[in-house]
Amino acid sequence: MGKKKKLYTRFFISLTTISVCCILVLAVVIFYWYRNISIASVNKANQNVLLNTETVFINYKEIVQNYTMDFYANPNINALMMSGDTDWSDQLYSALSQIRGALVVNQYLENAYIFGVKEPVAMFENMPLSPSSKLELSQLMRNSRIIESPFLWKATLNNGAPVTLLTVFYNDRAFADSTYYGAVALTVNLSKLQNNLFTQTDGEATRYAVLDANATVLMHSALSGNPLDSGMLEKIVASSAERGSFVYKGAGEPQLITFVYSPGDKLWFVSETSYKDSIRDISSARNLMIGLCLALILAASVISGLISRQIYKPIGRLFGNIIHLSGNEEALKTGGDFDAASQELEIIGVKLDQLKKENHDSALMRWLLSPRGAPDNRDNPNMSLGSSGGAYCVCVLEVLAEGPSGDAWNICNEVIQQIRTEFSALAEVQSFLPHEGSAVLILSELNSGSFGDYTLYRSKWEETATLFPPSGIRCAFGISGLSVDLSNLKPKYNEAAECLQYIKFHNKQNIIFADDTIHLNSSPVPESTLEPVLQAVRLPEQGVHIPQAVERLLAVVTSYRAEPATIALSRLAFELSRTAELNSEAQHSGFLDDYQRIWQIRSYDELRSWMEAGCYAALARISAMSAVQTRSIAAEAICYIREHYDDPRLSLNALAEKMSLSPAYLSRLIADEVDSSFPDFVNLLRLEQAQLLLVTELGMDIQEIAGKVGYNSSTYFTTQFKKRYGVTPSKWRMNHILLHQD
């Protein structure tokens, strides 16, 4: 009942969580949508203000321009420009009084200049310029055309202070080659004009400014607090758009920036509003959104409960059917959970894969043992030989590195077709593809003696092997010896299949002949052969030689038969894994795992990479141990245990007395180092060695093995072995023998 409640609770929590997430996502989307609307509204209002400011600025500019035109058109002033005669007359006095009056009425007008053909003839200055600036202005008037009015100009006052002035002028130079007859110029004090241009009420957070093309602030509203950020100003003038906005985060709070560009004046009108103020309108809707979300979440919880109740019943029955189908009674008693159903589905999948493989293997055996009938029926083919009494051989082909799904079938078919072409004049080729990426071929002589010269026969195979596979994919060929006895088909198949076990030991060789394996050394590989690899691992300074040591070891084992070579590499891998996993969370399960892993490897590169990875893992562990304490008490104790684990008299008290330590303290040191108690660690070493002897020393009985690894009682040994590995020593040995035979 508890499991059922747990499953129902998971349904409810899952549906509620999904509903709540959807509601929150919707709320966030609405929030940002409304926020964007609010920002767009503030941005539009700021743009309207800036456009109005631009209009007011243009009006002021036109007023000043009209003054210059009127003054230039005055006959008395024009005569003064042409003649340079400053003799006073009532008419001239009246004209100059108009100019002075314009400066008084318009406080943002600072200076007025009347330029003759050669030099200034009259001037009125509220802000006197330096002589050099006056001379520069005179030159500007001489070289400027009327369409260039007004322009920004950096001048120097009499007191040496720099000032930027907006200069409005009028002359008769409509073109670059027009004759210069003098000019009238009025200068505008921008700092005074900004007081007329910007009106700001109390409490208004938006700041306004006018920039030139160099990002210099010419006019601005009251800038309370920090000045405008230079980085923000440069970003504005670098923009190619005439209108726009962006959120700028400098050193302080984020700001909403809005700008408008005036092409005629080449000026930028800018507003800066606090980003928080720009979205203040949405705060009024916050409480409403929170309340709405809570209401929706409550409704979603109620609906999720109802839906969970409805969908639980059929799914619960489905899980029960899955567990019934798997036949796992224990899972059935406590089932009803996702994990239990998932595990049972995995078990069913494994069983289906095993049945599929057994079906393929059965079809292969029927093909080998029924050499009659029509060839090459893929579902259940029968095999026929070419010449009666002629010789035949068996080839087992395997794709070592597969590409995309389906490529393995295509590669096998291509190789089979190449073999048919290569041996078309010599043999009939029968083929069968039991699994994806593998094929079995039988080549039988078309005529007795067709294979002829054995050297030529081998060379054809070797040439075929070099043609395939295409780049990036490697195939392995196992070739049996020749035979004329049809009853040897199964043994010849076994010969060819066993040849594939030798491919992994050979670098850049993908074909092995059974005739070449007959004379290989069948004795165990000497321990000294493994020593160079172990030496490279144990000495950190030799770590760079690990690849060469592994390569030389694989070259040596090519002279041995597959089983002793695999046993030797398994011993090495087992020792490396014990070193690498000492005092780590992962615990290696035993020698047989390494043996099975190596036996299943098919390619040289995979085997070498796996061996090197084990070496580097062990090297890293040894280096870490050496860096902490090269000769620690725990390491000495563990080393002594590894060397004397087979001594029945080995005990914690005896070892503690030998090392002059208390048994309790020594026990704690060992437990901290290997994550195991002293008895368990000794028992582990004895059982691992017994496991190795069971599969390598088949002539020794169980009692002898028990005594050899340090047990006084074979019954206690059997009990401990079964407790750790789940089977008795005898059954472990039998499983290994059966596995090797398969």
Side-chain angles (χ1 to χ4, degrees):
M1 192 66 183
K3 285 285 184 179
K4 294 181 179 179
K5 287 294 184 182
K6 183 179 179 182
L7 180 59
Y8 173 79
T9 302
R10 287 191 177 184
F11 276 127
F12 174 73
I13 293 176
S14 299
L15 292 174
T16 303
T17 303
I18 293 173
S19 302
V20 170
C21 290
C22 293
I23 292 170
L24 293 178
V25 169
L26 179 62
V28 170
V29 170
I30 293 175
F31 174 83
Y32 281 101
W33 172 72
Y34 190 68
R35 187 196 67 171
N36 292 337
I37 292 178
S38 178
I39 292 176
S41 177
V42 173
N43 182 52
K44 185 176 181 181
N46 287 341
Q47 280 196 358
N48 290 335
V49 172
L50 294 178
L51 290 173
N52 182 63
T53 302
E54 180 187 12
T55 302
V56 173
F57 175 78
I58 292 174
N59 291 338
Y60 276 112
K61 183 185 69 174
E62 289 179 351
I63 290 171
V64 179
Q65 190 70 55
N66 291 335
Y67 275 128
T68 60
M69 293 173 61
D70 291 342
F71 294 154
Y72 188 89
N74 188 293
N76 296 306
I77 295 177
N78 191 270
L80 178 63
M81 287 188 300
M82 297 297 294
S83 64
D85 185 5
T86 57
D87 291 339
W88 290 100
S89 64
D90 292 339
Q91 294 81 3
L92 178 59
Y93 179 80
S94 176
L96 295 179
S97 296
Q98 292 179 12
I99 296 177
R100 182 176 294 276
L103 297 181
V104 173
V105 172
N106 302 282
Q107 296 181 358
Y108 54 86
L109 292 179
E110 289 288 3
N111 303 334
Y113 300 93
I114 301 173
F115 295 94
V117 177
K118 296 181 179 180
E119 59 184 7
V121 294
M123 63 185 69
F124 302 90
E125 293 183 305
N126 295 328
M127 184 186 292
L129 300 181
S130 65
S132 59
S133 294
K134 295 174 184 177
L135 182 62
E136 181 183 356
L137 180 60
S138 176
Q139 190 64 32
L140 288 172
M141 292 298 99
R142 184 181 300 276
N143 297 328
S144 299
R145 294 174 296 160
I146 185 61
I147 61 173
E148 295 174 1
S149 175
F151 61 83
L152 289 172
W153 174 55
K154 291 185 178 181
T156 304
L157 301 180
N158 263 342
N159 59 9
V163 62
T164 300
L165 299 174
L166 179 68
T167 302
V168 184
F169 69 92
Y170 189 87
N171 59 22
D172 282 336
R173 297 192 72 245
F175 304 100
D177 55 353
S178 298
T179 304
Y180 176 70
Y181 296 107
V184 174
L186 298 177
T187 62
V188 178
N189 188 328
L190 297 176
S191 61
K192 292 182 179 180
L193 179 61
Q194 72 184 14
N195 297 328
N196 298 341
L197 197 62
F198 300 109
T199 58
Q200 194 159 2
T201 60
D202 294 337
E204 185 176 355
T206 303
R207 306 195 297 180
Y208 302 93
V210 179
L211 314 179
D212 64 7
N214 297 320
T216 302
V217 178
L218 302 177
M219 294 177 284
H220 58 79
S221 61
L223 296 178
S224 59
N226 297 325
L228 295 175
D229 189 281
S230 59
M232 177 266 290
L233 300 178
E234 291 176 359
K235 184 175 181 180
I236 292 173
V237 299
S239 174
S240 58
E242 293 189 0
R243 297 183 185 182
S245 65
F246 59 89
V247 177
Y248 181 79
K249 181 173 176 57
E253 293 292 332
Q255 302 291 327
L256 176 63
I257 308 301
T258 307
F259 61 87
V260 172
Y261 179 64
S262 176
D265 300 309
K266 298 181 180 179
L267 297 176
W268 298 85
F269 295 84
V270 181
S271 71
E272 179 189 70
T273 305
S274 172
Y275 182 72
K276 290 182 179 179
D277 291 338
S278 66
I279 59 174
R280 62 182 179 273
D281 293 338
I282 68 173
S283 60
S284 59
R286 179 178 56 193
N287 295 334
L288 177 62
M289 291 180 64
I290 292 175
L292 180 61
C293 287
L294 292 176
L296 291 175
I297 289 173
L298 179 61
S301 300
V302 174
I303 295 173
S304 297
L306 296 175
I307 295 175
S308 300
R309 188 180 299 277
Q310 294 299 319
I311 67 176
Y312 165 71
K313 295 180 181 179
I315 293 180
R317 289 196 298 269
L318 175 62
F319 285 173
N321 293 335
I322 290 172
I323 297 173
H324 273 294
L325 183 61
S326 70
N328 189 344
E329 295 298 331
E330 189 65 27
L332 182 61
K333 294 177 182 177
T334 59
D337 198 357
F338 287 105
D339 295 334
S342 177
Q343 291 174 3
E344 298 311 310
L345 281 175
E346 290 178 1
I347 293 173
I348 294 172
V350 170
K351 290 180 179 179
L352 289 175
D353 288 340
Q354 291 175 346
L355 289 174
K356 183 178 179 181
K357 186 177 186 302
E358 290 173 2
N359 182 57
H360 288 324
D361 292 339
S362 298
L364 174 61
M365 291 302 101
R366 289 196 299 273
W367 182 66
L368 290 173
L369 300 177
S370 303
R372 294 291 184 272
D376 289 342
N377 180 353
R378 189 171 197 171
D379 294 330
N380 188 15
N382 291 313
M383 192 276 300
S384 63
L385 298 180
S387 171
S388 177
Y392 69 89
C393 71
V394 179
C395 169
V396 176
L397 166 69
E398 185 171 335
V399 178
L400 298 182
E402 299 182 7
S405 178
D407 280 5
W409 289 113
N410 297 332
I411 293 171
C412 285
N413 288 325
E414 290 180 17
V415 177
I416 292 171
Q417 186 58 42
Q418 180 63 29
I419 293 174
R420 292 184 190 277
T421 303
E422 192 70 23
F423 287 90
S424 59
L426 303 179
E428 179 178 345
V429 180
Q430 305 293 317
S431 63
F432 181 66
L433 281 68
H435 311 289
E436 184 177 6
S438 64
V440 180
L441 297 92
I442 298 181
L443 279 71
S444 56
E445 291 180 323
L446 288 176
N447 302 300
S448 182
S450 295
F451 286 150
D453 185 8
Y454 184 70
T455 303
L456 178 62
Y457 162 80
R458 284 178 60 107
S459 65
K460 282 186 173 293
W461 274 116
E462 292 169 350
E463 181 180 353
T464 302
T466 59
L467 294 176
F468 284 91
S471 176
I473 302 176
R474 190 180 179 199
C475 291
F477 297 80
I479 313 298
S480 74
L482 296 174
S483 176
V484 296
D485 188 354
L486 290 178
S487 63
N488 287 335
L489 268 174
K490 180 64 166 60
K492 289 300 176 183
Y493 164 76
N494 291 338
E495 270 187 19
E498 187 178 354
C499 288
L500 295 181
Q501 288 297 333
Y502 294 90
I503 294 292
K504 67 170 79 64
F505 305 127
H506 293 268
N507 187 18
K508 299 180 180 179
Q509 182 174 341
N510 63 337
I511 184 168
I512 298 293
F513 294 90
D515 295 340
D516 296 338
T517 65
I518 297 174
H519 305 292
L520 293 177
N521 194 341
S522 59
S523 60
V525 179
E527 293 287 340
S528 59
T529 306
L530 310 179
E531 191 58 32
V533 178
L534 294 174
Q535 189 74 6
V537 171
R538 290 168 183 162
L539 301 176
E541 64 273 10
Q542 297 294 323
V544 294
H545 301 301
I546 286 177
Q548 295 87 339
V550 173
E551 182 180 3
R552 287 195 295 268
L553 174 60
L554 294 179
V556 170
V557 299
T558 56
S559 60
Y560 289 83
R561 295 190 64 82
E563 183 177 3
T566 304
I567 291 175
L569 295 180
S570 301
R571 290 204 308 269
L572 174 61
F574 179 58
E575 184 64 29
L576 292 173
S577 63
R578 288 204 308 183
T579 302
E581 294 173 2
L582 183 62
N583 196 28
S584 66
E585 294 181 359
Q587 293 295 325
H588 197 267
S589 57
F591 161 83
L592 191 57
D593 284 348
D594 291 322
Y595 183 91
Q596 293 173 343
R597 176 76 174 87
I598 295 174
W599 194 262
Q600 293 169 358
I601 291 177
R602 286 291 181 264
S603 70
Y604 176 86
D605 292 337
E606 182 183 357
L607 177 60
R608 179 172 176 177
S609 298
W610 184 72
M611 295 297 297
E612 289 181 4
C615 291
Y616 284 121
L619 176 64
R621 174 61 183 157
I622 291 174
S623 299
M625 292 175 62
S626 299
V628 176
Q629 189 174 9
T630 305
R631 295 289 297 171
S632 66
I633 297 175
E636 291 181 10
I638 292 169
C639 181
Y640 183 88
I641 295 170
R642 289 187 181 279
E643 293 176 356
H644 299 86
Y645 69 91
D646 56 346
D647 186 359
R649 297 170 297 177
L650 179 64
S651 67
L652 179 62
N653 291 334
L655 180 58
E657 183 178 356
K658 180 178 180 63
M659 301 186 69
S660 300
L661 298 171
S662 69
Y665 179 67
L666 179 60
S667 176
R668 182 165 59 83
L669 289 179
I670 294 173
D672 291 341
E673 185 68 14
V674 299
D675 199 21
S676 177
S677 66
F678 173 87
D680 290 343
F681 182 57
V682 174
N683 200 43
L684 173 64
L685 295 176
R686 289 173 175 174
L687 291 178
E688 287 177 344
Q689 181 62 20
Q691 187 188 57
L692 177 62
L693 294 175
L694 284 169
V695 298
T696 58
E697 300 294 337
L698 300 179
M700 295 179 65
D701 59 25
I702 303 303
Q703 187 173 0
E704 289 178 307
I705 291 176
K708 192 172 182 63
V709 297
Y711 289 102
N712 291 321
S713 169
S714 61
T715 302
Y716 180 73
F717 163 63
T718 301
T719 301
Q720 293 298 317
F721 192 97
K722 185 175 181 181
K723 181 179 179 181
R724 176 167 179 78
Y725 299 112
V727 294
T728 63
S730 301
K731 191 169 183 179
W732 180 279
R733 173 179 280 175
M734 184 58 65
N735 288 341
H736 167 72
I737 294 173
L738 293 176
L739 176 65
H740 178 64
Q741 288 181 349
D742 289 340

